[in-house]
């Protein structure tokens, strides 16, 4: 390869990506379903494990899901054994990667028996072998969850960010992206659009190891998340927090309201590095932490940081990532919406948060010096001056004046079209007792991922809420275990 970018492995989906089996699977499902499938059936058929499709069919026709799964296995395997056709360019790419010494893995939602049949067929056609294969039988969850790709990376001993996953369905792409892989999408039946970290091509013809290497440019995905008093108000909150983190694709997460134990327990479950600061703040990182920054005795409000090391072909990069939580009262959006205070009074009432952010910014300046890349995340409990031009909200303005950019507004500059609200997915109406109870809750963007632009370029930024949270007070069973939305930004380094 001529490229100097890292390409530690290429991870291939099987059905529809390497071999033309999506049509065979579609035929098998139609036969078992006893009807023609339509576009509306695609989400439950393409890229899904057999068990998912069997459960879906069982709900439709009342038959036993186990019997349906066995029948689907049998019909699909019969078609595979009758002969598979490699997708255009697949054999040539596998051969070229083997010639360059780049290990490959097969990552499929099909069962082991089918995968082994396809591997044998590809080998008979001259394809080199795979270093690793991960099937639906090998992990507790399969696509669109990230576990299959993470399992393949662990087996190969490589970091997801230095790998390219080659996929053909939105389900598979979601799995690979959640694992942190760069993605080459080659749609077979369902169209897909390019996105940060995702390249779309019509075919594998003309794809080379050098082209794949260029897709793995170093990236860092940072998430800000208020855990809502550690999460304990929601049932099975720790498992739900882990599910969110695994699906987010985040490399570093800055927490607020950790309930003291969340950071340590989540780090232990994930096998990640961590820093727990005071009773409220914490940071998780896939990458090694080389320093812990800020006041180790920080109270409930304040800030804490870490220095993370990100390895690459041109050496190590270090980035300082800080998390901050600012005081919640008096809350400006309430004073604006409920009390009708004018701009000068709203600004004057930000003095506590302004002092807290100024202290945070000074600590960041002293630790980072002139050249280091810095990311500051947090629940500021304050709106942005970029969102509400009628009020020069001073907290975010102070951060901007200190050289920090708002990554969400870089990616989404129009606050009307993309408000990016993070408060609150469970409060459509004001939850507190008193004269404002039951009034529409001011929805606002009060959680942020800021950066200083030193070697950091925003590729994408988004808010995240999973499921469809039920509103207060019926939130205990929610899939989303917080009262804030998270913010996730992917940077190119």
């Amino acid at each position: 390869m001529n490229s100097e970018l890292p390409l530690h492995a290429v991870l291939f989906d099987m059905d529809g990506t390497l071999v033309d089996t999506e049509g065979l699977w579609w035929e098998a499902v139609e036969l078992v379903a006893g009807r023609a499938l339509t576009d509306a059936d695609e989400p439950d058929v393409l890229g899904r494990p057999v068990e998912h499709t069997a459960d879906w069919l069982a709900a439709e026709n009342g038959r036993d899901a186990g019997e349906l799964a066995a029948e689907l296995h049998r019909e699909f395997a019969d078609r595979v054994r009758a002969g598979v056709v490699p997708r255009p360019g697949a054999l040539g790419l596998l051969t070229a990667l083997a010639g360059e010494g780049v290990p490959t893995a097969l990552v499929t939602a099909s069962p082991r028996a089918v995968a082994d049949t396809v591997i044998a067929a590809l080998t008979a056609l001259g394809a080199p072998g795979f270093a690793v294969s991960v099937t639906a039988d090998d992990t507790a969850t399969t696509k669109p969850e990230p576990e299959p790709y993470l399992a393949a990376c662990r087996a190969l001993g490589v970091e997801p960010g230095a790998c390219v996953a080659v996929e053909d369905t939105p389900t598979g792409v979601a799995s690979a992206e959640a694992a942190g892989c760069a993605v080459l999408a080659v749609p077979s039946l369902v169209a897909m659009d390019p996105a940060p970290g995702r390249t779309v091509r019509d075919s594998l013809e003309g794809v080379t190891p050098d082209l794949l290497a260029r897709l793995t440019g170093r990236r860092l995905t940072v998430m800000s998340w208020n855990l809502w008093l550690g999460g304990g108000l929601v049932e099975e909150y720790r498992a739900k927090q882990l599910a969110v983190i695994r699906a987010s694709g985040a490399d570093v997460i800055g927490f607020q309201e950790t309930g003291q134990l969340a950071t340590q327990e989540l780090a232990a479950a994930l096998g990640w590095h961590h820093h727990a600061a005071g009773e409220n703040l914490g940071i998780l990182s896939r990458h090694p932490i080389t320093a812990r920054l800020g006041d180790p005795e920080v109270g409930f409000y304040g800030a804490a940081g870490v220095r993370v090391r990100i390895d690459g072909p041109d050496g190590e990069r270090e980035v300082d990532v800080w998390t901050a939580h600012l005081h919640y009262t008096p809350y400006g959006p309430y004073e604006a919406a409920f009390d009708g205070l004018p701009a000068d009074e709203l600004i004057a009432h930000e003095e506590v948060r302004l002092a807290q952010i100024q202290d945070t910014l000074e600590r960041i300046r002293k630790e980072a010096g002139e050249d280091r890349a810095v990311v500051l995340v947090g629940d500021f409990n304050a709106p942005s001056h970029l969102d509400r031009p009628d009020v020069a909200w001073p907290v975010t303005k102070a951060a901007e004046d200190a050289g920090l950019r708002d990554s969400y507004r870089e990616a989404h500059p129009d606050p009307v079209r993309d408000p990016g609200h993070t408060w609150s997915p469970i409060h459509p109406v004001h939850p507190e007792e008193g004269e404002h109870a039951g009034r529409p809750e001011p929805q606002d963007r009060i959680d942020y991922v800021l950066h200083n632009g030193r070697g950091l370029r925003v590729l994408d930024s988004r808010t995240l809420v999973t499921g469809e949270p039920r509103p207060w007070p019926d939130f205990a069973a929610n899939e989303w275990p917080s009262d804030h939305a998270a913010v996730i930004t992917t940077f190119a380094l």
Side-chain angles (χ1 to χ4, degrees), residues 87-361:
R87 297 282 289 171
L91 292 180
L93 179 56
L94 289 170
T95 301
L97 289 167
E100 295 281 1
V102 178
T104 57
L106 190 74
V107 183
T108 177
S110 293
R112 170 60 61 185
V114 173
D116 288 346
T117 300
V118 172
I119 291 172
L122 288 171
T123 302
L125 292 170
F130 296 96
V132 168
S133 60
V134 177
T135 75
D137 298 334
D138 301 322
T139 55
T141 61
T142 190
K143 303 174 186 180
E145 298 301 320
E147 188 173 359
Y149 279 102
L150 293 174
C153 291
R154 286 194 298 269
L156 291 168
V158 297
E159 288 294 321
C163 300
V164 176
V166 186
E167 275 283 356
D168 75 307
T169 66
T171 301
V173 166
S175 174
E177 289 179 341
C181 301
V183 172
L184 175 64
V186 187
S188 57
L189 295 177
V190 180
M192 283 179 278
D193 294 323
R198 182 198 311 164
T199 300
V200 180
R201 287 179 67 103
D202 294 334
S203 166
L204 291 178
E205 290 184 312
V207 175
T208 64
D210 189 65
L211 183 150
L212 293 176
R214 292 197 296 271
L215 304 184
T216 62
R218 228 169 3 183
R219 295 172 296 156
L220 181 69
T221 299
V222 182
M223 175 173 168
S224 181
W225 195 14
N226 182 310
L227 293 179
W228 193 18
L229 301 175
L233 297 174
V234 175
E235 298 166 358
E236 300 178 353
Y237 60 96
R238 196 69 82 222
K240 292 175 180 178
Q241 290 168 346
L242 285 168
V244 169
I245 293 168
R246 289 180 172 126
S248 71
D251 302 304
V252 182
I253 305 169
F255 293 128
Q256 308 87 43
E257 294 193 28
T258 61
Q260 293 190 311
L261 298 177
T263 308
Q264 299 93 314
E265 292 180 359
L266 291 169
L270 293 164
W272 287 19
H273 308 276
H274 77 282
H275 173 44
E279 61 187 281
N280 178 44
L281 298 172
I283 299 176
L284 291 184
S285 175
R286 295 183 197 260
H287 302 291
I289 291 174
T290 62
R292 289 166 171 79
L293 313 172
D295 180 4
E297 303 300 323
V298 63
F300 191 85
Y301 297 106
V306 299
R307 184 161 294 153
V308 298
R309 188 189 74 233
I310 305 162
D311 299 322
D314 53 350
E316 300 174 352
R317 286 285 307 278
E318 288 188 322
V319 178
D320 288 0
V321 181
W322 290 74
T323 181
H325 192 197
L326 309 185
H327 205 285
Y328 78 99
T329 186
Y331 186 53
Y334 288 168
E335 294 189 316
F338 297 155
D339 304 326
L341 295 189
D344 57 342
E345 291 187 46
L346 293 172
I347 292 170
H349 288 183
E350 293 291 313
E351 59 184 10
V352 171
R353 281 182 290 273
L354 181 59
Q356 290 171 336
I357 196 67
Q358 288 171 335
D359 177 72
T360 297
L361 295 169

Side-chain angles (χ1 to χ4, degrees), residues 331-338 341 343 346-347 350 382-394 396 409 413-416 419 421 423 441-446 448:
Y331 186 53
Y334 288 168
E335 294 189 316
F338 297 155
L341 295 189
L346 293 172
I347 292 170
E350 293 291 313
S384 171
H385 67 291
L386 300 176
D387 297 354
R388 297 183 174 204
D390 55 322
V391 180
W393 297 98
T396 54
R409 275 290 158 254
D414 186 345
V416 175
H421 294 155
W423 181 267
E441 179 76 355
Q443 301 298 306
D444 223 307
R445 189 169 70 99
I446 61 174
Y448 301 92

